[in-house]
Amino acid sequence: MGSPVVALACTGLVKRYGRTTVLGGVDLVVERGSVVGLVGPNGSGKTTTLRIAAGLVAADGGSALVDGERAGTTAAKARTGFVPDEPTGLDELTVGEYLGLVRALYRAGPEYDARAGALLAAFRLSGRERSLLGSLSHGLRRASAIVAALALRPALAVVDEASAALDPAASATLRESLRALAGGGGGVLLATQDLEFARETCDSVAVLGGGRIVEHGPVAVLS
């Protein structure tokens, strides 16, 4: 059997924190070969949706399947590359050690190193392999997290606040890298408040408001 054509399928996602409902029933599909953007104001539920898809947060209702596997399971996480908005922790590791750790955790083969090397060069991180993560600027720290995730060539890439802290050149590299991943058969779900980045990168967008998708369609809906 071939790989599922759907990288991510969310059905009726509900998430509550105390008495606050953050997601009130979100339906979302990311097909393999596509880039889907989540846009909306702060507090609309973008990051929560991404964190459920990445298996970092459990939904209180509904379901999320990554490449046919329930989000949060070992099988689903092995198929997911996640880039957080604010990469933190592991400050004592060098960039090279960090990439090595990700490769080991995901049991990636030697092709991971080749892809990571190409991405390091693309994001102008070549020569920074011995730099401590804690010594990097926010933008370079995010670029390192992007390299680590995309070098996995995951079935699903989940990128929060995609272009945040990146300079124009790095934003362009990220756009090209995400399009390349989709072109190779992966699916991408990204959240961004940069509507221009969404227009130039995404195949479709979902607009979140009040924990629900209020509009979903081609990027033209952002005009």
Side-chain angles (χ1 to χ4, degrees):
M1 296 179 62
S3 298
V5 297
V6 175
L8 174 67
C10 298
T11 305
L13 286 185
V14 174
K15 183 62 184 177
R16 304 182 186 91
Y17 291 104
R19 297 182 178 180
T20 302
T21 298
V22 180
L23 298 179
V26 168
D27 298 319
L28 182 67
V29 171
V30 178
E31 294 182 351
R32 279 178 168 269
S34 70
V35 180
V36 177
L38 280 181
V39 299
N42 289 333
S44 60
K46 300 189 302 297
T47 293
T48 299
T49 301
L50 266 60
R51 289 176 65 82
I52 290 173
L56 301 177
V57 172
D60 295 315
S63 65
L65 297 177
V66 176
D67 212 32
E69 304 287 346
R70 183 167 55 85
T73 62
T74 300
K77 288 181 178 179
R79 292 163 166 80
T80 306
F82 178 59
V83 181
D85 175 23
E86 296 278 353
T88 57
L90 305 178
D91 287 359
E92 71 282 2
L93 295 185
T94 66
V95 172
E97 290 169 341
Y98 169 55
L99 294 174
L101 175 62
V102 172
R103 182 183 65 176
L105 290 173
Y106 280 82
R107 298 181 180 177
E111 65 278 3
Y112 178 87
D113 291 333
R115 290 195 293 264
L119 286 165
L120 285 171
F123 280 97
R124 296 174 296 166
L125 281 167
S126 293
R128 297 261 188 178
E129 291 88 345
R130 296 185 179 181
S131 296
L132 293 174
L133 290 174
S135 72
L136 299 179
S137 67
H138 186 191
L140 290 178
R141 183 68 178 267
R142 290 207 75 235
S144 299
I146 291 166
V147 169
L150 298 190
L152 294 167
R153 195 169 288 175
L156 176 68
V158 178
V159 187
D160 198 5
E161 293 301 337
S163 60
L166 300 181
D167 62 29
S171 292
T173 298
L174 175 60
R175 179 171 60 251
E176 293 166 3
S177 299
L178 295 178
R179 293 303 321 172
L181 178 63
V188 177
L189 177 64
L190 64 87
T192 183
Q193 296 194 53
D194 184 343
L195 299 187
E196 189 61 28
F197 184 87
R199 291 188 188 98
E200 295 177 350
T201 308
C202 301
D203 298 297
S204 64
V205 294
V207 181
L208 274 170
R212 296 179 181 273
I213 292 179
V214 296
E215 195 166 9
H216 189 193
V219 291
V221 303
L222 297 178
S223 298

